[in-house]
Amino acid sequence: MNRIEYSAEIAELLGLVRRRPSAGWPWLPGDAVPAGLPVKQSWGWLFAPDGRVLTLVNPRDGVVSLPGGSLEPEDAGDPGAALAREADEEAQALIGRPYYLGYLYDRVGSANGGHECARVRMAAALQQVGESRPDPASGRHYRRLLVAPGLAVELLGWGAPGLRQARAAVAAAVRHLGVPAAADETIEELPRAGCTLWPAG
């Protein structure tokens, strides 16, 4: 088993990580969202060519997240459009075509005023990131880490359901994007100035 490699600065950042307790929403892989169940959020597993995914760390409170968030009127009900917009706002990321993975059923409706809703999960290529800047919606200035999908689950604190979700994301990325099934396990912070991950063309 290879040792996970990362810098002293990343080690310090990982020491701040605070995992959120699992909400217990059922994960429904591959199922279409039923008619009448509103989609309120869309989050993405965004893959680099080596199979690692983008995770965001808020250095002020240590909370780790995947890029994504709530659908807004300009998204016209399209979870893929919402993911692309949120990835740009939160991580200054340009993504490729999103592939639908499934959804989490939020029976409590904490994202929908107390009414049940769906939280969609998608996979896409992380094509490039721009110069780091604060999220215009929250003012949060996220640190952008590339990590293996299994480690992302650990940092997110999602447990076994999260691991099942990560496996669905990896399977889709292998099939549609050609990434390796076993990701590079190096933890890397993307440069503040931005970079291109997938070659043009």
Side-chain angles (χ1 to χ4, degrees), residues 22-181:
S22 173
W25 300 314
W27 164 238
L28 300 163
D31 289 3
V33 178
L37 183 65
V39 175
K40 286 297 178 179
Q41 291 190 329
S42 179
W43 301 76
W45 295 85
L46 307 184
F47 285 84
D50 60 16
R52 291 180 294 176
V53 294
L54 178 64
T55 56
L56 305 179
V57 183
N58 184 347
R60 287 187 292 181
D61 59 15
V63 170
V64 179
S65 61
L66 296 179
S70 298
L71 274 69
E72 301 293 347
E74 60 264 37
D75 303 321
D78 180 357
L83 175 58
R85 177 183 52 75
E86 290 281 356
D88 174 59
E89 291 176 358
E90 295 179 343
Q92 301 72 60
L94 176 66
I95 67 172
R97 171 189 169 184
Y99 294 92
Y100 179 79
L101 301 174
Y103 72 98
L104 294 163
Y105 172 57
D106 180 356
R107 65 174 63 85
V108 176
S110 54
N112 190 33
H115 302 283
E116 64 177 359
C117 64
R119 299 169 182 255
V120 164
R121 295 292 186 266
M122 309 189 89
L126 175 63
Q127 295 180 330
Q128 64 185 51
V129 293
E131 183 177 0
S132 180
R133 64 179 188 270
D135 179 356
S138 67
R140 295 173 183 153
H141 201 130
Y142 295 104
R143 303 278 289 274
R144 306 173 296 187
L145 298 184
L146 287 181
V147 302
L151 179 57
V153 172
E154 175 64 23
L155 294 176
L156 290 159
W158 286 357
L163 191 56
R164 290 192 291 272
Q165 188 183 137
R167 287 173 177 157
V170 169
V174 169
R175 182 168 63 252
H176 296 296
L177 306 176
V179 306

